[in-house]
Amino acid sequence: MTGNGADAIGTAESNGTGETNGTTGTNETNETGGTPASDGIAHMPQAVRELAEAARESAERHEQTQRESDDVDLTLPPLVPQALREPTRREHHGDVFMDPYEWLRDKESPRVRAYIDAQNELCASRNAHLEHLRDTLFDELKAHVQETDMSVPVRMDDYWYFARTREGRQYAVQCRVPVRGVDDWDPPKVDPAAEPGSLPGEQVVFDMNKEAEGHDFFRLGGMDLSRDGRWMLYGVDTDGDERYDYRIRDLDAMTRVGGDGQPAGPLVSDASADLPERFDGVGSACLTPDGRYVFWVEVDDAWRPCAVWRHKVGTPVEDDACVYREADERFWLGVGLSFDERNIVIGTGSKTTTEVLMLSADDPEGEFRAFIPRKDGVEYDVSFARFEQAGPDGEDIPLAVVYHNANNPNFEIDVIDMRDHEPPFRLGEGVCVAEGSPYGCERGGASDEPITKPYENPRNPALLQGLRGLGIEGISIHRHFVSLAYRADGLPHLAMMPKAEAAEDFLAGRPWRFAELLPPALDGDWDTTASDGTVESDGVGASDGASDDESEHVGQDGAERETERNEERLPGETRRLYTIGTAGNPSYEAPRMRYSFTSYTRPGELHDVDPATGEDRLLKRGTVLGGFDPRRYRERRVWIQARDGEHVPVSLVWRDGTDLHDAPMFITGYGAYEISSDPAFSVARLSLLDRGVLYAVPHIRGGGELGRAWYEQGRRLNKKHTFEDFVDATRALQEAHLADPARTVADGGSAGGLLMGAVANIAPELYAGIEADVPFVDALTSILDPSLPLTVTEWDEWGDPLHDADVYRYMKSYTPYENLPAAGSEAGKAFPRILITTSMNDTRVLVVEPLKWLAAMQERGFDAIAKIEVEAGHGGTSGRYKQWREVSYENAWCLDVMGIKE
């Protein structure tokens, strides 16, 4: 894994970061592999002996496999901790599957613990030769990061809030300073290098480093503040299981550090100011604006947020009242405040259906009521706003803003004039502001139309006409501006208009006059298009702050020639691919709109813009040290044709001057839950690009890049499109001689880990190695068991194999664990090297799934190893330095597979 993108406004840190065919040998019923061992502690030595015996058997099998394979290096250490085979019978819809490794589910048993320890030892041994490369990658990453830094202050009520990071410290420190007055909307100037609390009036609200002491894992789950800034509700996870312990802290009880002859320091909050109420193991929580009530979410045994409870501050938690319980096991729920903080809102939903319940914040002990009752297959959300002084007599016009897909699968936004509408409300009433494209969607009457057909709709604003794959993603109405988020041509977009013009258009019944916001160009960038449509000079102009030192000129003869050759090889035009959206606008009254953007090769920037004049100000650009210049890196969107004729976008990233002829390639994908793999900058990725690696992201079906239809064509009984798109994109890049199969490494995590397992089975010859992070590789077993965490809620995504035989057969045909090739088959001989990363406390993809997959691969003699975190969850380790170590470990393995040794 190359690491997630840097924080668009922060410190440029990397976070590191979800069928038996007769030949696989997985359907045996007579082999038991030995007698089951007791789980008692007294039998630990026996468990270890069994592992050793199995390891010797594995070594013998591996030697036989090597004798049968002349073209693949499957060298393994002499002892592989092969798991014992203890078949467990699974029978559904007339099909019987004997699962030899189901016993690995009991992660607390001594023999499973021994197996995990042995696998970690094997992984460490196999990767010991990469220690120098890992250290080099870590040092490179660290050298690029401004370790002592801060975020841009954000105003909430009467304070400016911001986060500081300090060199050598794992976590951020949350701070604040009072506003200078009611009209203070310019963020204070803060010295990033100064100690927390050094600014006059600065308070340390929450020092995560101090709070994390004594914990190997620490993650802040949420932080909520009362309107007067006194009460803070916060939640922490110290296990990685995504259950949070919430506390209420009195920020008026901050203590001043110092004393004992030392100068008085800043005011600092700590646990001594926490109230006695504790909300342990909950999903989330919110604080009412007056700080008098907490609403918290109960999590059931299946890890589903299932109920909302009300707590009155100062009373025993045992007296809390359950105000809403969701009976439908497909639905998750959450609770929070509406944007205007006038309502407490419960949002409940499945993958395909949502409902919003509301209660006035002035009456927290009242009864929640649905704004619009749920309807199966319909998703909606609602917020409230007003057009100030826009009525005929200068009065405000109250508005309900409803975002829904009742009529259009790619969503529409309706604005309801609350002066002449009374409950009960219905979806579709009001004025439609924007509407997505129905082309290719299952609903909407246009399923036969191509997804990429240009969409025209007279109700839409002018800037939305003729766009492809148009999806409406949201609207935000503030005191002075209105913003619109949408997707088109596979990328996110952002538009804005002054609030006064929106009111005029609303009252006149005409399309709203939104204007798109585009990232300002870099000075001298290659991504500047001249009026004749040609790309201007590749030379680098004056420094713009993206680098910490003088920029090199990249107009060297060799680099220029390579750039010309690459341009000839690649179709289309090399352009930066941006992710853009609003950021840091929590106040309704803010006079300017903040937005952020990033690309694969351009660090994130935070800007604000005046809606009346269009004046754009840079607030912060992600600082990347070590001589980094974004002009030295290229990115491009190409389209490949999948086997069913659909055209799939693929993003390519490389360092300028790289020879893109049979280059080493790192290719990554996800393709599930309508989650888009949008462009993002990554510091860790630079180490790959600087070593001549081509970075590729196929935007495969199952994601949301091209709207709802793109998602629908990669879920349920269309799921194989996801795998086929990834394989076809890989093959197309290799057949174009951009990438070398012998140096191609694929990567995916969670549902992307399922993708990795599937493509390894489908087209092993295309990949030299595959990194699978927390991989969902025993999908059928998990989705068949409604008692497991998340299973019932997942039926909308994958289908219900428990009750539907067609879904069962379809999932059985692709679930990676049950479709591994036989060791001696052609696919088995070509099977790539595998690195698995997983975590013991993962509640989304249980550790048993990658363990079973690992056992089955090693049983066949495949080159598979696993790094198993004991203190972590689905998102991996916590703490930035630990995350940097982790991503350096993974990238070293990937480079080694590519044949890059330093």
Side-chain angles (χ1 to χ4, degrees), residues 520-529 535-542 544 575-576 578 599 601-602 629-635:
L522 286 172
D523 291 340
D525 194 19
W526 51 262
D527 188 30
T528 302
T529 304
V535 178
E536 294 187 330
S537 170
D538 291 326
V540 174
D544 55 17
R575 298 301 306 271
R576 293 201 193 277
Y578 286 105
S599 83
T601 59
R602 188 172 172 184
D629 190 326
R631 302 169 190 82
R632 299 182 194 139
Y633 300 86
R634 302 274 177 151
E635 51 191 290

PDB file of all heavy atoms in Angstrom, residues 520-529 535-542 544 575-576 578 599 601-602 629-635:
ATOM      1  N   PRO A 520      -6.767  26.793  -8.842  1.00  0.00           N
ATOM      2  CA  PRO A 520      -5.838  27.714  -9.509  1.00  0.00           C
ATOM      3  C   PRO A 520      -4.621  26.962 -10.023  1.00  0.00           C
ATOM      4  O   PRO A 520      -4.113  26.039  -9.390  1.00  0.00           O
ATOM      5  CB  PRO A 520      -5.454  28.697  -8.395  1.00  0.00           C
ATOM      6  CG  PRO A 520      -6.559  28.597  -7.388  1.00  0.00           C
ATOM      7  CD  PRO A 520      -7.021  27.175  -7.439  1.00  0.00           C
ATOM      8  N   ALA A 521      -4.148  27.370 -11.203  1.00  0.00           N
ATOM      9  CA  ALA A 521      -3.008  26.691 -11.817  1.00  0.00           C
ATOM     10  C   ALA A 521      -1.719  27.051 -11.099  1.00  0.00           C
ATOM     11  O   ALA A 521      -1.584  28.134 -10.526  1.00  0.00           O
ATOM     12  CB  ALA A 521      -2.912  27.072 -13.293  1.00  0.00           C
ATOM     13  N   LEU A 522      -0.762  26.130 -11.143  1.00  0.00           N
ATOM     14  CA  LEU A 522       0.583  26.413 -10.659  1.00  0.00           C
ATOM     15  C   LEU A 522       1.326  27.263 -11.689  1.00  0.00           C
ATOM     16  O   LEU A 522       1.167  27.073 -12.902  1.00  0.00           O
ATOM     17  CB  LEU A 522       1.362  25.108 -10.451  1.00  0.00           C
ATOM     18  CG  LEU A 522       1.000  24.243  -9.249  1.00  0.00           C
ATOM     19  CD1 LEU A 522       1.737  22.910  -9.343  1.00  0.00           C
ATOM     20  CD2 LEU A 522       1.329  24.939  -7.953  1.00  0.00           C
ATOM     21  N   ASP A 523       2.150  28.163 -11.220  1.00  0.00           N
ATOM     22  CA  ASP A 523       2.966  28.951 -12.131  1.00  0.00           C
ATOM     23  C   ASP A 523       3.914  28.044 -12.904  1.00  0.00           C
ATOM     24  O   ASP A 523       4.612  27.206 -12.324  1.00  0.00           O
ATOM     25  CB  ASP A 523       3.789  29.986 -11.351  1.00  0.00           C
ATOM     26  CG  ASP A 523       2.926  31.075 -10.746  1.00  0.00           C
ATOM     27  OD1 ASP A 523       1.791  31.253 -11.228  1.00  0.00           O
ATOM     28  OD2 ASP A 523       3.387  31.737  -9.797  1.00  0.00           O
ATOM     29  N   GLY A 524       3.924  28.196 -14.213  1.00  0.00           N
ATOM     30  CA  GLY A 524       4.853  27.434 -15.034  1.00  0.00           C
ATOM     31  C   GLY A 524       4.554  25.965 -15.126  1.00  0.00           C
ATOM     32  O   GLY A 524       5.416  25.182 -15.525  1.00  0.00           O
ATOM     33  N   ASP A 525       3.342  25.557 -14.768  1.00  0.00           N
ATOM     34  CA  ASP A 525       3.031  24.129 -14.750  1.00  0.00           C
ATOM     35  C   ASP A 525       2.799  23.604 -16.156  1.00  0.00           C
ATOM     36  O   ASP A 525       2.324  24.324 -17.046  1.00  0.00           O
ATOM     37  CB  ASP A 525       1.777  23.905 -13.898  1.00  0.00           C
ATOM     38  CG  ASP A 525       1.563  22.449 -13.547  1.00  0.00           C
ATOM     39  OD1 ASP A 525       2.533  21.673 -13.631  1.00  0.00           O
ATOM     40  OD2 ASP A 525       0.436  22.087 -13.172  1.00  0.00           O
ATOM     41  N   TRP A 526       3.098  22.330 -16.356  1.00  0.00           N
ATOM     42  CA  TRP A 526       2.775  21.698 -17.633  1.00  0.00           C
ATOM     43  C   TRP A 526       1.274  21.560 -17.830  1.00  0.00           C
ATOM     44  O   TRP A 526       0.793  21.359 -18.942  1.00  0.00           O
ATOM     45  CB  TRP A 526       3.447  20.327 -17.733  1.00  0.00           C
ATOM     46  CG  TRP A 526       3.228  19.412 -16.550  1.00  0.00           C
ATOM     47  CD1 TRP A 526       4.082  19.218 -15.515  1.00  0.00           C
ATOM     48  CD2 TRP A 526       2.073  18.605 -16.273  1.00  0.00           C
ATOM     49  NE1 TRP A 526       3.549  18.327 -14.606  1.00  0.00           N
ATOM     50  CE2 TRP A 526       2.312  17.930 -15.050  1.00  0.00           C
ATOM     51  CE3 TRP A 526       0.871  18.382 -16.926  1.00  0.00           C
ATOM     52  CZ2 TRP A 526       1.395  17.061 -14.470  1.00  0.00           C
ATOM     53  CZ3 TRP A 526      -0.059  17.506 -16.365  1.00  0.00           C
ATOM     54  CH2 TRP A 526       0.209  16.863 -15.148  1.00  0.00           C
ATOM     55  N   ASP A 527       0.493  21.680 -16.770  1.00  0.00           N
ATOM     56  CA  ASP A 527      -0.957  21.530 -16.858  1.00  0.00           C
ATOM     57  C   ASP A 527      -1.625  22.884 -17.138  1.00  0.00           C
ATOM     58  O   ASP A 527      -2.646  23.217 -16.582  1.00  0.00           O
ATOM     59  CB  ASP A 527      -1.497  20.942 -15.551  1.00  0.00           C
ATOM     60  CG  ASP A 527      -2.974  20.576 -15.656  1.00  0.00           C
ATOM     61  OD1 ASP A 527      -3.405  20.241 -16.761  1.00  0.00           O
ATOM     62  OD2 ASP A 527      -3.672  20.646 -14.639  1.00  0.00           O
ATOM     63  N   THR A 528      -1.019  23.706 -17.995  1.00  0.00           N
ATOM     64  CA  THR A 528      -1.601  24.965 -18.424  1.00  0.00           C
ATOM     65  C   THR A 528      -1.919  24.840 -19.902  1.00  0.00           C
ATOM     66  O   THR A 528      -1.036  24.613 -20.722  1.00  0.00           O
ATOM     67  CB  THR A 528      -0.629  26.134 -18.195  1.00  0.00           C
ATOM     68  OG1 THR A 528      -0.299  26.190 -16.812  1.00  0.00           O
ATOM     69  CG2 THR A 528      -1.254  27.456 -18.615  1.00  0.00           C
ATOM     70  N   THR A 529      -3.180  24.965 -20.264  1.00  0.00           N
ATOM     71  CA  THR A 529      -3.605  24.768 -21.644  1.00  0.00           C
ATOM     72  C   THR A 529      -3.722  26.104 -22.350  1.00  0.00           C
ATOM     73  O   THR A 529      -4.411  27.007 -21.890  1.00  0.00           O
ATOM     74  CB  THR A 529      -4.957  24.037 -21.691  1.00  0.00           C
ATOM     75  OG1 THR A 529      -4.826  22.816 -20.982  1.00  0.00           O
ATOM     76  CG2 THR A 529      -5.366  23.758 -23.120  1.00  0.00           C
ATOM     77  N   VAL A 535      -0.622  21.842 -25.093  1.00  0.00           N
ATOM     78  CA  VAL A 535      -0.047  21.928 -23.762  1.00  0.00           C
ATOM     79  C   VAL A 535       1.219  22.766 -23.830  1.00  0.00           C
ATOM     80  O   VAL A 535       2.093  22.543 -24.675  1.00  0.00           O
ATOM     81  CB  VAL A 535       0.275  20.532 -23.214  1.00  0.00           C
ATOM     82  CG1 VAL A 535       0.923  20.631 -21.847  1.00  0.00           C
ATOM     83  CG2 VAL A 535      -1.010  19.729 -23.125  1.00  0.00           C
ATOM     84  N   GLU A 536       1.318  23.757 -22.954  1.00  0.00           N
ATOM     85  CA  GLU A 536       2.439  24.669 -22.982  1.00  0.00           C
ATOM     86  C   GLU A 536       3.702  24.008 -22.420  1.00  0.00           C
ATOM     87  O   GLU A 536       3.702  22.865 -22.015  1.00  0.00           O
ATOM     88  CB  GLU A 536       2.098  25.939 -22.209  1.00  0.00           C
ATOM     89  CG  GLU A 536       0.983  26.734 -22.886  1.00  0.00           C
ATOM     90  CD  GLU A 536       0.755  28.067 -22.224  1.00  0.00           C
ATOM     91  OE1 GLU A 536       0.985  28.180 -21.016  1.00  0.00           O
ATOM     92  OE2 GLU A 536       0.347  28.991 -22.921  1.00  0.00           O
ATOM     93  N   SER A 537       4.742  24.790 -22.347  1.00  0.00           N
ATOM     94  CA  SER A 537       6.079  24.321 -21.978  1.00  0.00           C
ATOM     95  C   SER A 537       6.086  23.487 -20.720  1.00  0.00           C
ATOM     96  O   SER A 537       5.374  23.770 -19.773  1.00  0.00           O
ATOM     97  CB  SER A 537       6.995  25.532 -21.802  1.00  0.00           C
ATOM     98  OG  SER A 537       8.220  25.133 -21.238  1.00  0.00           O
ATOM     99  N   ASP A 538       6.952  22.454 -20.712  1.00  0.00           N
ATOM    100  CA  ASP A 538       7.120  21.624 -19.536  1.00  0.00           C
ATOM    101  C   ASP A 538       8.079  22.246 -18.531  1.00  0.00           C
ATOM    102  O   ASP A 538       8.317  21.681 -17.475  1.00  0.00           O
ATOM    103  CB  ASP A 538       7.659  20.244 -19.935  1.00  0.00           C
ATOM    104  CG  ASP A 538       6.617  19.448 -20.688  1.00  0.00           C
ATOM    105  OD1 ASP A 538       5.426  19.578 -20.387  1.00  0.00           O
ATOM    106  OD2 ASP A 538       7.015  18.718 -21.590  1.00  0.00           O
ATOM    107  N   GLY A 539       8.674  23.340 -18.860  1.00  0.00           N
ATOM    108  CA  GLY A 539       9.649  23.941 -17.970  1.00  0.00           C
ATOM    109  C   GLY A 539       9.017  24.437 -16.690  1.00  0.00           C
ATOM    110  O   GLY A 539       7.826  24.707 -16.626  1.00  0.00           O
ATOM    111  N   VAL A 540       9.830  24.567 -15.645  1.00  0.00           N
ATOM    112  CA  VAL A 540       9.346  25.000 -14.342  1.00  0.00           C
ATOM    113  C   VAL A 540       9.603  26.483 -14.184  1.00  0.00           C
ATOM    114  O   VAL A 540      10.699  26.974 -14.447  1.00  0.00           O
ATOM    115  CB  VAL A 540      10.057  24.214 -13.223  1.00  0.00           C
ATOM    116  CG1 VAL A 540       9.661  24.765 -11.869  1.00  0.00           C
ATOM    117  CG2 VAL A 540       9.673  22.754 -13.319  1.00  0.00           C
ATOM    118  N   GLY A 541       8.572  27.209 -13.724  1.00  0.00           N
ATOM    119  CA  GLY A 541       8.707  28.642 -13.521  1.00  0.00           C
ATOM    120  C   GLY A 541       9.082  28.963 -12.100  1.00  0.00           C
ATOM    121  O   GLY A 541       9.717  28.186 -11.399  1.00  0.00           O
ATOM    122  N   ALA A 542       8.647  30.133 -11.653  1.00  0.00           N
ATOM    123  CA  ALA A 542       8.996  30.602 -10.320  1.00  0.00           C
ATOM    124  C   ALA A 542       8.397  29.702  -9.252  1.00  0.00           C
ATOM    125  O   ALA A 542       7.358  29.090  -9.441  1.00  0.00           O
ATOM    126  CB  ALA A 542       8.502  32.038 -10.141  1.00  0.00           C
ATOM    127  N   ASP A 544       6.364  28.424  -6.152  1.00  0.00           N
ATOM    128  CA  ASP A 544       5.054  28.815  -5.640  1.00  0.00           C
ATOM    129  C   ASP A 544       4.828  28.304  -4.236  1.00  0.00           C
ATOM    130  O   ASP A 544       3.711  28.283  -3.751  1.00  0.00           O
ATOM    131  CB  ASP A 544       3.944  28.277  -6.557  1.00  0.00           C
ATOM    132  CG  ASP A 544       4.043  26.783  -6.752  1.00  0.00           C
ATOM    133  OD1 ASP A 544       4.740  26.140  -5.940  1.00  0.00           O
ATOM    134  OD2 ASP A 544       3.449  26.245  -7.686  1.00  0.00           O
ATOM    135  N   ARG A 575      -3.225  15.586 -18.032  1.00  0.00           N
ATOM    136  CA  ARG A 575      -3.769  16.685 -17.234  1.00  0.00           C
ATOM    137  C   ARG A 575      -3.811  16.259 -15.775  1.00  0.00           C
ATOM    138  O   ARG A 575      -3.944  15.081 -15.454  1.00  0.00           O
ATOM    139  CB  ARG A 575      -5.209  17.034 -17.680  1.00  0.00           C
ATOM    140  CG  ARG A 575      -5.348  17.516 -19.113  1.00  0.00           C
ATOM    141  CD  ARG A 575      -4.513  18.757 -19.381  1.00  0.00           C
ATOM    142  NE  ARG A 575      -4.784  19.833 -18.449  1.00  0.00           N
ATOM    143  CZ  ARG A 575      -5.734  20.775 -18.633  1.00  0.00           C
ATOM    144  NH1 ARG A 575      -6.504  20.719 -19.695  1.00  0.00           N
ATOM    145  NH2 ARG A 575      -5.889  21.728 -17.751  1.00  0.00           N
ATOM    146  N   ARG A 576      -3.722  17.234 -14.882  1.00  0.00           N
ATOM    147  CA  ARG A 576      -3.884  16.916 -13.474  1.00  0.00           C
ATOM    148  C   ARG A 576      -5.338  16.532 -13.206  1.00  0.00           C
ATOM    149  O   ARG A 576      -6.274  17.108 -13.761  1.00  0.00           O
ATOM    150  CB  ARG A 576      -3.479  18.104 -12.612  1.00  0.00           C
ATOM    151  CG  ARG A 576      -1.987  18.407 -12.684  1.00  0.00           C
ATOM    152  CD  ARG A 576      -1.543  19.218 -11.481  1.00  0.00           C
ATOM    153  NE  ARG A 576      -0.210  19.776 -11.689  1.00  0.00           N
ATOM    154  CZ  ARG A 576       0.918  19.119 -11.488  1.00  0.00           C
ATOM    155  NH1 ARG A 576       0.874  17.867 -11.050  1.00  0.00           N
ATOM    156  NH2 ARG A 576       2.083  19.686 -11.703  1.00  0.00           N
ATOM    157  N   TYR A 578      -8.132  16.232 -10.358  1.00  0.00           N
ATOM    158  CA  TYR A 578      -8.349  16.852  -9.058  1.00  0.00           C
ATOM    159  C   TYR A 578      -9.533  16.263  -8.306  1.00  0.00           C
ATOM    160  O   TYR A 578     -10.546  15.871  -8.896  1.00  0.00           O
ATOM    161  CB  TYR A 578      -8.596  18.357  -9.230  1.00  0.00           C
ATOM    162  CG  TYR A 578      -7.354  19.145  -9.563  1.00  0.00           C
ATOM    163  CD1 TYR A 578      -7.127  19.616 -10.849  1.00  0.00           C
ATOM    164  CD2 TYR A 578      -6.394  19.399  -8.586  1.00  0.00           C
ATOM    165  CE1 TYR A 578      -5.975  20.351 -11.151  1.00  0.00           C
ATOM    166  CE2 TYR A 578      -5.246  20.123  -8.873  1.00  0.00           C
ATOM    167  CZ  TYR A 578      -5.045  20.595 -10.167  1.00  0.00           C
ATOM    168  OH  TYR A 578      -3.906  21.305 -10.448  1.00  0.00           O
ATOM    169  N   SER A 599      -4.497  16.645  -5.962  1.00  0.00           N
ATOM    170  CA  SER A 599      -4.410  15.725  -7.089  1.00  0.00           C
ATOM    171  C   SER A 599      -3.420  14.631  -6.716  1.00  0.00           C
ATOM    172  O   SER A 599      -2.858  14.625  -5.618  1.00  0.00           O
ATOM    173  CB  SER A 599      -3.964  16.458  -8.368  1.00  0.00           C
ATOM    174  OG  SER A 599      -2.555  16.596  -8.412  1.00  0.00           O
ATOM    175  N   THR A 601      -0.515  14.344  -7.792  1.00  0.00           N
ATOM    176  CA  THR A 601       0.852  14.864  -7.776  1.00  0.00           C
ATOM    177  C   THR A 601       0.950  16.271  -7.204  1.00  0.00           C
ATOM    178  O   THR A 601       2.047  16.822  -7.130  1.00  0.00           O
ATOM    179  CB  THR A 601       1.430  14.883  -9.211  1.00  0.00           C
ATOM    180  OG1 THR A 601       0.603  15.710 -10.044  1.00  0.00           O
ATOM    181  CG2 THR A 601       1.471  13.481  -9.784  1.00  0.00           C
ATOM    182  N   ARG A 602      -0.154  16.846  -6.808  1.00  0.00           N
ATOM    183  CA  ARG A 602      -0.159  18.204  -6.248  1.00  0.00           C
ATOM    184  C   ARG A 602      -0.687  18.141  -4.824  1.00  0.00           C
ATOM    185  O   ARG A 602      -1.835  17.730  -4.596  1.00  0.00           O
ATOM    186  CB  ARG A 602      -1.018  19.126  -7.112  1.00  0.00           C
ATOM    187  CG  ARG A 602      -0.935  20.596  -6.710  1.00  0.00           C
ATOM    188  CD  ARG A 602      -1.652  21.468  -7.718  1.00  0.00           C
ATOM    189  NE  ARG A 602      -1.741  22.842  -7.260  1.00  0.00           N
ATOM    190  CZ  ARG A 602      -2.379  23.813  -7.895  1.00  0.00           C
ATOM    191  NH1 ARG A 602      -2.996  23.551  -9.046  1.00  0.00           N
ATOM    192  NH2 ARG A 602      -2.424  25.044  -7.415  1.00  0.00           N
ATOM    193  N   ASP A 629       8.932  18.969  -6.130  1.00  0.00           N
ATOM    194  CA  ASP A 629       8.295  19.909  -7.047  1.00  0.00           C
ATOM    195  C   ASP A 629       7.200  19.159  -7.801  1.00  0.00           C
ATOM    196  O   ASP A 629       7.484  18.185  -8.503  1.00  0.00           O
ATOM    197  CB  ASP A 629       9.321  20.474  -8.031  1.00  0.00           C
ATOM    198  CG  ASP A 629       8.757  21.634  -8.849  1.00  0.00           C
ATOM    199  OD1 ASP A 629       7.556  21.607  -9.156  1.00  0.00           O
ATOM    200  OD2 ASP A 629       9.526  22.562  -9.172  1.00  0.00           O
ATOM    201  N   PRO A 630       5.947  19.592  -7.688  1.00  0.00           N
ATOM    202  CA  PRO A 630       4.861  18.853  -8.358  1.00  0.00           C
ATOM    203  C   PRO A 630       4.982  18.838  -9.867  1.00  0.00           C
ATOM    204  O   PRO A 630       4.406  17.956 -10.521  1.00  0.00           O
ATOM    205  CB  PRO A 630       3.609  19.611  -7.912  1.00  0.00           C
ATOM    206  CG  PRO A 630       4.086  20.959  -7.493  1.00  0.00           C
ATOM    207  CD  PRO A 630       5.452  20.752  -6.936  1.00  0.00           C
ATOM    208  N   ARG A 631       5.743  19.765 -10.437  1.00  0.00           N
ATOM    209  CA  ARG A 631       5.882  19.819 -11.894  1.00  0.00           C
ATOM    210  C   ARG A 631       6.728  18.669 -12.435  1.00  0.00           C
ATOM    211  O   ARG A 631       6.762  18.437 -13.648  1.00  0.00           O
ATOM    212  CB  ARG A 631       6.515  21.152 -12.297  1.00  0.00           C
ATOM    213  CG  ARG A 631       5.724  22.372 -11.822  1.00  0.00           C
ATOM    214  CD  ARG A 631       6.560  23.637 -12.032  1.00  0.00           C
ATOM    215  NE  ARG A 631       5.970  24.788 -11.402  1.00  0.00           N
ATOM    216  CZ  ARG A 631       6.100  25.097 -10.111  1.00  0.00           C
ATOM    217  NH1 ARG A 631       6.779  24.287  -9.310  1.00  0.00           N
ATOM    218  NH2 ARG A 631       5.542  26.174  -9.595  1.00  0.00           N
ATOM    219  N   ARG A 632       7.432  17.975 -11.540  1.00  0.00           N
ATOM    220  CA  ARG A 632       8.247  16.846 -11.980  1.00  0.00           C
ATOM    221  C   ARG A 632       7.445  15.557 -12.111  1.00  0.00           C
ATOM    222  O   ARG A 632       7.998  14.505 -12.423  1.00  0.00           O
ATOM    223  CB  ARG A 632       9.397  16.614 -10.994  1.00  0.00           C
ATOM    224  CG  ARG A 632      10.347  17.792 -10.847  1.00  0.00           C
ATOM    225  CD  ARG A 632      11.472  17.433  -9.892  1.00  0.00           C
ATOM    226  NE  ARG A 632      12.190  18.627  -9.476  1.00  0.00           N
ATOM    227  CZ  ARG A 632      12.617  18.845  -8.247  1.00  0.00           C
ATOM    228  NH1 ARG A 632      12.388  17.955  -7.309  1.00  0.00           N
ATOM    229  NH2 ARG A 632      13.265  19.950  -7.946  1.00  0.00           N
ATOM    230  N   TYR A 633       6.162  15.611 -11.821  1.00  0.00           N
ATOM    231  CA  TYR A 633       5.330  14.407 -11.823  1.00  0.00           C
ATOM    232  C   TYR A 633       4.135  14.608 -12.746  1.00  0.00           C
ATOM    233  O   TYR A 633       3.578  15.705 -12.832  1.00  0.00           O
ATOM    234  CB  TYR A 633       4.865  14.087 -10.394  1.00  0.00           C
ATOM    235  CG  TYR A 633       6.013  13.846  -9.451  1.00  0.00           C
ATOM    236  CD1 TYR A 633       6.633  14.908  -8.789  1.00  0.00           C
ATOM    237  CD2 TYR A 633       6.523  12.566  -9.255  1.00  0.00           C
ATOM    238  CE1 TYR A 633       7.713  14.696  -7.938  1.00  0.00           C
ATOM    239  CE2 TYR A 633       7.603  12.343  -8.411  1.00  0.00           C
ATOM    240  CZ  TYR A 633       8.192  13.413  -7.750  1.00  0.00           C
ATOM    241  OH  TYR A 633       9.261  13.202  -6.929  1.00  0.00           O
ATOM    242  N   ARG A 634       3.748  13.540 -13.413  1.00  0.00           N
ATOM    243  CA  ARG A 634       2.663  13.590 -14.395  1.00  0.00           C
ATOM    244  C   ARG A 634       1.505  12.701 -13.954  1.00  0.00           C
ATOM    245  O   ARG A 634       1.693  11.708 -13.257  1.00  0.00           O
ATOM    246  CB  ARG A 634       3.168  13.119 -15.757  1.00  0.00           C
ATOM    247  CG  ARG A 634       4.347  13.917 -16.309  1.00  0.00           C
ATOM    248  CD  ARG A 634       3.885  15.128 -17.062  1.00  0.00           C
ATOM    249  NE  ARG A 634       5.007  15.943 -17.526  1.00  0.00           N
ATOM    250  CZ  ARG A 634       4.967  16.702 -18.608  1.00  0.00           C
ATOM    251  NH1 ARG A 634       3.873  16.755 -19.349  1.00  0.00           N
ATOM    252  NH2 ARG A 634       6.022  17.434 -18.942  1.00  0.00           N
ATOM    253  N   GLU A 635       0.337  13.050 -14.430  1.00  0.00           N
ATOM    254  CA  GLU A 635      -0.841  12.210 -14.205  1.00  0.00           C
ATOM    255  C   GLU A 635      -1.748  12.324 -15.419  1.00  0.00           C
ATOM    256  O   GLU A 635      -1.761  13.331 -16.123  1.00  0.00           O
ATOM    257  CB  GLU A 635      -1.570  12.612 -12.927  1.00  0.00           C
ATOM    258  CG  GLU A 635      -1.913  14.076 -12.778  1.00  0.00           C
ATOM    259  CD  GLU A 635      -2.398  14.414 -11.376  1.00  0.00           C
ATOM    260  OE1 GLU A 635      -3.506  13.986 -11.025  1.00  0.00           O
ATOM    261  OE2 GLU A 635      -1.667  15.105 -10.639  1.00  0.00           O
TER     262      GLU A 635
END
